[in-house]
Amino acid sequence: QMKKQCHQKLLIQMKTECVPCSLNLETQCPAGYTRITNGTGIPNCRYYLEIKTHTLSFVGCRHHCVKEFEHPECCQGRWGPDCMGK
């Protein structure tokens, strides 16, 4: 029995919201995602605080998260809803 479906693994990456680095220790990835950064995350973003008439900008941290899922596809040379081919 030939394998009709060849699953392709897709990796989806996302970043959490930019927050003060000291607060980012507790930041969790969304459900189903795995955190790939440690501690306070990566200080590569800015967050803003509005104080009366001014908006102040600070360097903040965020985490990178990944999610892997299998995308079903027909193997080479097969096609159609049931991957039969010829």
Side-chain angles (χ1 to χ4, degrees), residues 18-20 45-51 54-60:
C18 193
V19 296
C45 59
R46 298 192 83 82
Y47 67 96
Y48 301 92
L49 284 183
E50 287 182 30
I51 298 170
H54 292 74
T55 301
L56 302 180
S57 157
F58 299 93
V59 172

Side-chain angles (χ1 to χ4, degrees), residues 8-44:
Q8 201 180 357
K9 279 199 165 134
L10 293 181
L11 210 58
I12 297 176
Q13 266 204 45
M14 59 88 62
K15 298 177 177 108
T16 59
E17 199 182 335
C18 193
V19 296
C21 294
S22 56
L23 296 179
N24 205 38
L25 273 169
E26 302 301 314
T27 302
Q28 297 300 313
C29 292
Y33 283 84
T34 306
R35 205 164 94 171
I36 56 169
T37 41
N38 296 323
T40 55
I42 300 170
N44 65 346

Side-chain angles (χ1 to χ4, degrees), residues 4 74-86:
K4 297 203 237 12
C74 297
C75 296
Q76 210 174 351
R78 296 173 180 269
W79 58 88
D82 48 5
C83 297
M84 288 310 288
K86 293 179 187 149

